[in-house]
């Protein structure tokens, strides 16, 4: 099965992490607020969807402190 965990961001946003225990992980970072938020990624994550594009192609690889713009969603995969 898939394990789903939730982490609140200080401003009111949320990080939803999906773990299927075999093929990797996915993270959905949600910021519904009117200001940008910084969050922490442990390890390298491939960004596959942001406010301007989405798909299976890697937009960029992020690690460490990352900023999510106001009113946006980011989708990462390992």
């Amino acid at each position: 099965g898939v394990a789903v965990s939730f982490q609140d961001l200080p401003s009111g946003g949320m990080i939803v992490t999906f773990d299927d225990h075999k093929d990797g992980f996915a993270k959905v970072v949600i910021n519904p607020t009117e200001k940008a938020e910084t969050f922490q990624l442990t390890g390298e994550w491939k960004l596959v969807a942001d406010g301007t594009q989405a798909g299976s192609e890697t937009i960029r690889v992020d690690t460490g402190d990352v900023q999510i713009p106001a009113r946006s969603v980011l989708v990462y995969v390992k």
Side-chain angles (χ1 to χ4, degrees):
V2 175
V4 181
S5 61
F6 301 90
Q7 175 187 349
D8 291 331
L9 296 174
S11 69
M14 173 183 297
I15 300 173
V16 183
T17 302
F18 300 87
D19 178 1
D20 65 5
H21 304 292
K22 62 176 183 168
D23 293 328
F25 298 85
K27 283 188 186 291
V28 179
V29 186
I30 305 161
N31 183 5
T33 70
E34 294 184 18
K35 65 180 200 173
E37 174 79 70
T38 300
F39 63 96
Q40 179 77 27
L41 284 176
T42 302
E44 291 187 345
W45 289 84
K46 298 173 190 170
L47 181 67
V48 294
D50 63 10
T52 59
Q53 54 189 326
S56 59
E57 298 291 320
T58 300
I59 298 168
R60 68 174 186 261
V61 177
D62 286 338
T63 188
D65 286 341
V66 181
Q67 188 174 78
I68 179 172
R71 295 184 181 152
S72 63
V73 174
L74 302 178
V75 179
Y76 288 95
V77 295
K78 269 288 195 186

